[in-house]
Amino acid sequence: MSVTYKSSPSAYFTLGDDIHDTKAPAGPVEKKWATRKFEAKLVNPANRRKLTIIIVGTGLGGAAAGATLGEAGYNVHNFCFQDTPRRAHSIAAQGGINAAKNYRNDNDSVYRLFYDTIKGGDYRARETNVYRLAEVSTQIIDQCVAQGVPFAREYGGLLDTRSFGGVQVQRTFYARGQTGQQLLIGAYQALERQVAAGTVTMHARHEMLELIIHKGRARGIVTRDLISGEIEAWYADAVVLATGGYGNVFFLSTSAMGSNVTASMRAHRKGAYFGNPCYTQIHPTCIPVTGEHQSKLTLMSESLRNDGRIWVPKDPADAEKDPRKIPEEDRDYYLERIYPSFGNLVPRDIASRQAKYMCDDGRGVGPLVTEVTQEGVEQQRRRGVYLDFAEAIGRMGKKAVETKYGNLFDMYAQITGEDPYETPMRIYPAVHYVMGGLWVDYDLMSSITGMYVLGEANFSDHGANRLGASALMQGLSDGYFVLPNTINDYLAAGPFEKIDESTPEVIDAVNDAFDRIDKLLAVDGTRTVDSFHRELGSIMWEYCGMDRTEEGLMIAIDKIRALREEFWTNVKVCGTNEDFNQTLERAGRVVDFMDLGELMCIDALHRRESCGGHFRRESQTEDGEALRHDDEFAYVAAWEFTGDGQKPVLHREPLKYEAIELKQRSYK
């Protein structure tokens, strides 16, 4: 069913022009990438030495792009706010990376990976970009093996693979539960090779605060040295953002504590469209929240769902029992029951919602948690379900389970004090990944000429729900293979006009950074930065989290606006700018999270359908599945910033499916 607004949509946004040209070539989808590479202009090796590229971020996308462009002969300046590129959040990815190499001879193919990704994203991803991702996936594995990434191997010596959610083949390559770490080390050593060669200059502990635009082109950034507080401007012929996702808008998430949206929001304020900001992934396999003391949640890899079985007691009265003493006939393996074709490996959005439904029904496990619902009702619920390896240990033996998942089991034991070899793990959904991000065209260029966006920082490949093991695939695809081919087409017109500290746009950008810092330090209120962040996170989780309603989203928008107003009158930021000042760092990031949170709620409010991770309670099937409305919402929502306190402008990019039939998802 459709939703009727209680107030007009125009109260929250205005409608702009539709986007029809994404720069994708004409012709069959399987030939578009080859066509684009051939049609792109080239930069000869001598001219590359005259061109400078700034890359912000050193995760898989940023490190891979820096290494590849440096190897190509460009002058690359790579920035990260961590003390080393190895601390990029990509290192935390656990389960694996997808590729359509069909090593298992189980009928996998580029087209099947393409189809699974479009379907998994609930038909809200751009067809051309997704096919290219599937096509490039096979090259990624070869590249990483050549770098020495220690993928798991089967008895005959071939690379091993396993299954992940939303698919019925085994296409996920892995290195135990440390795949992100091993892939990042591979990209990092390639990047450091270029640092040693002199083509890449590394700037650690620098945070981007502003984007410099000169004559309509992205030409540089303004950074703050996080050790000394020095504000500096840096200039280039093109700027690349590979700054990751914004899950920390919810305060509690599986993201690294430093992960933020500042670079993207600074670019958004300068004209970069923000695509589908409300598409947030809730991961079903996280360690449950234990109390108010927490500021971080821990992910247990989706790979565990290959062999672990998810269940809850059939009788709510059994919630306090030792799970080992609950007989099989009294257990509800609900994913296997509801989705017999996919079982425990349904996509993340579906597994997450079903876990919530089980707990809402009173059959959750773990300690009682006091909650206040969107309707203002206080209730107590157990927020956890079991992930049980007893059957796998009996079938494979403890040693085999330890070989595949040992580091994950150790991590769970250290955090919870429980031995998962002896008693089932307890898991519950938590904010993990964001499918939204800055809008980009087929070349990965944003709506700002000369600014490119890679990996999780862009919106392009996952639609309304990312399939497991596809994040690492996209980051490396964008960095190693896509951007190095498409950025040449733009840089062929360079080098562009020189700019320096006397250029008016540079002066304005530097002054904007100083003004923002001075304003934060001048408030001198009584509330801590973290208290504002925690309150924002509570609003976002309650009203724009697992499910959303029209009324709840409007309440959230009002609450965020009131919170922002209080922030600017009552936040306490100690210290000075000219020093190591983590409170100042966090304050600037929380400001951007509040602006983003409001935009996320507006996006969720305008999209009156359920799709993937965006679940509108008013739009669902009789059995509680997401119900899309393709006649109204088969488009990318690209939001334009128009000024503080002004309504954002919605630009719609219609989604056209030529190689795949548009239909409602079913995993049953």
Side-chain angles (χ1 to χ4, degrees):
M1 59 183 174
S2 295
V3 179
T4 302
Y5 276 109
K6 293 182 179 178
S7 62
S8 169
S10 62
Y12 298 96
F13 67 91
T14 57
L15 197 59
D17 296 332
D18 286 354
I19 301 170
H20 294 288
D21 182 14
T22 63
K23 292 187 183 177
V29 68
E30 65 271 13
K31 294 184 179 180
K32 288 182 184 292
W33 182 226
T35 300
R36 183 71 189 104
K37 287 190 290 184
F38 179 74
E39 291 179 347
K41 299 172 185 174
L42 301 179
V43 182
N44 76 56
N47 285 341
R48 294 175 200 163
R49 293 191 292 270
K50 305 173 186 177
L51 294 160
T52 300
I53 302 169
I54 284 175
I55 301 176
V56 186
T58 58
L60 290 182
T68 307
L69 294 171
E71 179 73 35
Y74 292 106
N75 297 303
V76 178
H77 286 263
N78 219 156
F79 294 81
C80 70
F81 65 78
Q82 299 95 342
D83 57 356
T84 168
R86 290 174 297 171
R87 291 192 183 274
H89 187 52
S90 300
I91 206 162
Q94 298 167 334
I97 177 171
N98 289 329
K101 293 182 82 71
N102 196 32
Y103 281 178
R104 293 278 187 165
N105 196 28
D106 53 4
N107 203 25
D108 197 11
S109 65
V110 167
Y111 186 87
R112 189 175 296 279
L113 174 52
F114 162 60
Y115 174 81
D116 287 343
T117 305
I118 291 285
K119 178 183 176 183
D122 215 353
Y123 301 91
R124 289 295 178 261
R126 186 190 289 158
E127 196 176 66
T128 53
N129 288 61
V130 176
Y131 192 90
R132 177 177 63 191
L133 177 65
E135 184 179 352
V136 166
S137 69
T138 58
Q139 298 172 256
I140 297 171
I141 303 303
D142 296 338
Q143 170 92 1
C144 294
V145 169
Q147 290 176 337
V149 173
F151 286 120
R153 294 180 180 268
E154 50 92 64
Y155 179 76
L158 295 177
L159 298 183
D160 198 11
T161 55
R162 55 191 177 198
S163 295
F164 258 59
V167 303
Q168 292 178 303
V169 296
Q170 291 180 271
R171 65 163 68 102
T172 303
F173 295 77
Y174 65 97
R176 295 189 74 188
Q178 306 168 344
T179 313
Q181 176 183 351
Q182 299 302 329
L183 292 173
L184 184 61
I185 289 173
Y188 168 72
Q189 66 185 12
L191 180 66
E192 288 301 305
R193 180 175 181 272
Q194 295 309 311
V195 171
T199 62
V200 175
T201 303
M202 191 66 231
H203 305 273
R205 303 298 286 160
H206 281 69
E207 182 167 28
M208 173 181 160
L209 297 183
E210 289 292 341
L211 178 71
I212 297 170
I213 298 179
H214 177 65
K215 295 185 177 180
R217 300 179 188 270
R219 294 299 312 277
I221 62 173
V222 176
T223 65
R224 179 176 182 269
D225 185 317
L226 298 182
I227 303 298
S228 68
E230 182 181 4
I231 305 296
E232 299 173 89
W234 307 86
Y235 319 116
D237 296 287
V239 175
V240 178
L241 299 188
T243 49
Y246 48 84
N248 276 347
V249 68
F250 291 87
F251 187 73
L252 287 176
S253 80
T254 66
S255 297
M257 291 294 292
S259 296
N260 64 82
V261 76
T262 290
S264 290
M265 288 302 289
R266 298 293 98 194
H268 176 55
R269 295 174 71 91
K270 289 290 181 70
Y273 294 169
F274 214 113
N276 297 333
C278 79
Y279 286 166
T280 307
Q281 180 158 89
I282 312 295
H283 198 296
T285 319
C286 298
I287 298 178
V289 178
T290 57
E292 285 290 314
H293 64 281
Q294 280 186 269
S295 55
K296 172 81 173 66
L297 296 178
T298 304
L299 171 70
M300 299 307 297
S301 170
E302 183 173 315
S303 63
L304 295 172
R305 291 199 274 148
N306 272 272
D307 293 300
R309 301 179 70 193
I310 296 172
W311 63 276
V312 292
K314 291 180 179 178
D315 185 350
D318 288 342
E320 296 184 8
K321 283 186 178 180
D322 183 332
R324 294 169 293 184
K325 296 181 180 179
I326 300 176
E328 281 290 312
E329 61 269 21
D330 292 336
R331 302 179 178 189
D332 181 8
Y333 295 92
Y334 57 90
L335 292 178
E336 299 173 31
R337 170 175 56 82
I338 301 171
Y339 307 100
S341 293
F342 284 77
N344 295 300
L345 286 172
V346 292
R348 293 173 176 179
D349 61 310
I350 292 175
S352 295
R353 278 196 296 277
Q354 289 298 337
K356 181 180 185 298
Y357 294 158
M358 295 300 121
C359 295
D360 288 347
D361 193 39
R363 294 193 284 150
V365 298
L368 285 168
V369 178
T370 301
E371 303 173 328
V372 179
T373 67
Q374 290 190 17
E375 294 75 23
V377 178
E378 189 173 289
Q379 63 181 14
Q380 285 194 318
R381 289 278 189 263
R382 300 182 192 277
R383 292 298 181 189
V385 299
Y386 289 126
L387 178 60
D388 195 337
F389 276 82
E391 188 272 339
I393 291 172
R395 169 172 47 87
M396 303 162 56
K398 181 178 177 180
K399 184 63 177 177
V401 171
E402 185 178 2
T403 299
K404 293 177 72 173
Y405 308 114
N407 64 307
L408 298 172
F409 278 47
D410 291 345
M411 182 170 66
Y412 181 88
Q414 290 174 18
I415 292 171
T416 65
E418 301 171 3
D419 183 354
Y421 293 104
E422 298 296 329
T423 188
M425 294 181 182
R426 285 182 294 108
I427 58 170
Y428 192 70
V431 172
H432 176 54
Y433 187 91
V434 292
M435 286 72 66
L438 294 182
W439 182 91
V440 292
D441 61 20
Y442 188 69
D443 287 351
L444 303 185
M445 188 189 289
S446 71
S447 52
I448 298 175
T449 302
M451 191 188 85
Y452 294 79
V453 190
L454 311 185
E456 191 177 358
N458 76 37
F459 86 98
S460 65
D461 290 12
H462 307 298
N465 173 67
R466 176 176 68 80
L467 291 182
S470 287
L472 304 183
M473 177 174 61
Q474 186 203 353
L476 292 179
S477 167
D478 288 353
Y480 281 138
F481 302 108
V482 178
L483 181 74
N485 282 289
T486 59
I487 200 171
N488 293 332
D489 190 68
Y490 173 73
L491 291 176
F496 302 107
E497 177 185 345
K498 295 292 184 182
I499 62 173
D500 57 29
E501 66 274 5
S502 65
T503 304
E505 292 88 347
V506 175
I507 295 171
D508 289 344
V510 171
N511 287 339
D512 286 346
F514 273 115
D515 290 347
R516 191 163 180 250
I517 290 169
D518 292 342
K519 187 178 177 182
L520 287 167
L521 292 170
V523 177
D524 196 27
T526 60
R527 280 190 65 177
T528 65
V529 172
D530 283 355
S531 73
F532 282 101
H533 193 180
R534 184 181 291 275
E535 185 173 344
L536 172 66
S538 297
I539 295 169
M540 294 300 297
W541 177 251
E542 190 60 51
Y543 298 105
C544 197
M546 291 282 283
D547 61 7
R548 297 98 185 257
T549 66
E550 173 193 331
E551 183 176 6
L553 289 164
M554 289 191 290
I555 291 172
I557 293 168
D558 289 341
K559 284 179 175 288
I560 293 170
R561 289 173 177 174
L563 185 67
R564 183 195 294 114
E565 185 175 344
E566 183 186 356
F567 179 93
W568 284 114
T569 59
N570 197 30
V571 71
K572 180 69 173 180
V573 180
C574 301
T576 66
N577 175 54
E578 293 75 22
D579 200 355
F580 178 72
N581 191 339
Q582 290 189 306
T583 304
L584 178 60
E585 293 172 33
R586 291 197 295 270
R589 295 167 189 171
V590 171
V591 170
D592 290 312
F593 278 138
M594 286 190 286
D595 291 345
L596 172 67
E598 180 179 342
L599 184 62
M600 291 172 68
C601 291
I602 292 173
D603 186 36
L605 177 63
H606 110 275
R607 189 170 285 277
R608 294 168 290 133
E609 66 167 353
S610 293
C611 54
H614 168 63
F615 191 79
R616 284 290 293 269
R617 202 181 297 173
E618 307 95 334
S619 185
Q620 56 183 300
T621 63
E622 291 182 358
D623 53 354
E625 302 291 353
L627 179 61
R628 299 195 322 268
H629 300 295
D630 297 332
D631 56 333
E632 296 181 77
F633 297 104
Y635 58 76
V636 175
W639 295 92
E640 178 185 1
F641 177 78
T642 59
D644 290 319
Q646 304 299 310
K647 298 176 187 177
V649 175
L650 171 62
H651 300 275
R652 298 174 298 190
E653 179 202 324
L655 291 169
K656 300 177 182 177
Y657 293 97
E658 299 172 355
I660 283 180
E661 179 186 357
L662 193 63
K663 56 187 178 182
Q664 293 288 335
R665 285 193 308 173
S666 175
Y667 290 92
K668 295 183 176 180

